[in-house]
Amino acid sequence: MGCVGCQVLAAVLGLMVCAVVGADDAEEFTITITPGEKLPNGTIYIIKHTDVSFNCSSKSQRTSNISWIFVGPDSTPKIVSNVEGTYSEFTTKNVGIDDQGNYTCSTSDSIAKEVLVYHPPEGPPLCHAESSDDNVYLFCSWTEGYPHPTFVWSNEAESYGSSEQPHGQPGINDTMLLQIKGSEIQDGQIFKCVGYHIAYEQRMEPSCTLKLKGPFPESEPLVTGFEGKNTTLTCHTNEGNPPPKLTWLRNETEIFSNRKYVVLQEGVTSFLTIKRSSKALDEGRYVCKSENPLGIKEVEIWVSFNTKNISGLVGAIVTLVLLSIAAVCGVLLYRNRNVFITRKHFW
């Protein structure tokens, strides 16, 4: 038995078919799949929702038992066609995702055909940037497709990576990482990632873009707290890609979480909590520093503390006002009791 040829059938949501035709010394079988568009490497693409015809025929005139067997995602074999003759043909109408699986054209002597599935990733690629020390890492991901796609990163000056890989060959993985030194990039520079996949045939180019930006932190310039209470400062950055690192400074020294301070960062927002604030020790200038490989920006926050509990004073004033209003209303009702409290009004 020898291998006569190999073809690939792919449906854009759907089917990739690798056809392995086998034969013995006395008889050869050929396989025909229509309709389809043939690529230079022998790949044939069938668009989803079309009707696909499978034909397995013998070049000799010897009669054989020819069967088509389909094994779907549930791994249950199903005989699609079984005839006694020199050829077997069946048609799958309106090809969809449920038609993907393993197809086998089998005779009494040999296995003639196997069908596998290729499908492109759903949606466009996704880009994001990270940084470490003075390096910038650009990630381009296009997942849940088979085989893995290939990528090309590019900017105004040059391209990184290559899409010149053979069609149908899996890539290394479904994410491409591009590492660039911080000294080689500029504020406002735009990078674009384009994904390529054997089963992707839509007209829109699957891509995503990243714009690198320096940081720009924002915070309230003045914060007032109460002595002996916890006071929280907030700093966030609306700009900055890769996302900047936020740190707090006091007297040019970085603040870390300890018994006195709690530092917490959630996304692009950082919080500094001063425990049991002291007017003598904690009042004054604080700095929020935002940093990524494209630059460093700082914003100042001036903190002051009140020694008296103003909230208690305000509560006492409000209570006094309410009591005064109640007293005035009581006096008015008493003086006009003959008008308001009559038998008619009473009942």
Side-chain angles (χ1 to χ4, degrees), residues 146-166:
Y146 181 81
H148 295 304
T150 57
F151 304 92
V152 171
W153 274 107
S154 64
N155 57 25
E156 299 86 345
E158 56 185 320
S159 296
Y160 310 87
S162 174
S163 62
E164 302 297 328
Q165 296 187 11

Side-chain angles (χ1 to χ4, degrees), residues 221-242:
L222 299 174
V223 175
T224 301
F226 299 102
E227 189 170 28
K229 302 292 184 180
N230 291 347
T231 302
T232 300
L233 314 183
T234 303
C235 179
H236 67 276
T237 175
N238 290 326
E239 296 183 4
N241 196 24

Side-chain angles (χ1 to χ4, degrees), residues 92 108 137 211 243 245 265:
T92 300
S108 58
Y137 303 92
K211 185 175 183 180
K245 177 185 177 182
Q265 181 164 344

Side-chain angles (χ1 to χ4, degrees), residues 91-106:
T91 299
T92 300
K93 295 183 177 294
N94 193 24
V95 170
I97 195 67
D98 293 335
D99 298 309
Q100 62 184 352
N102 293 326
Y103 291 78
T104 300
C105 179
S106 175

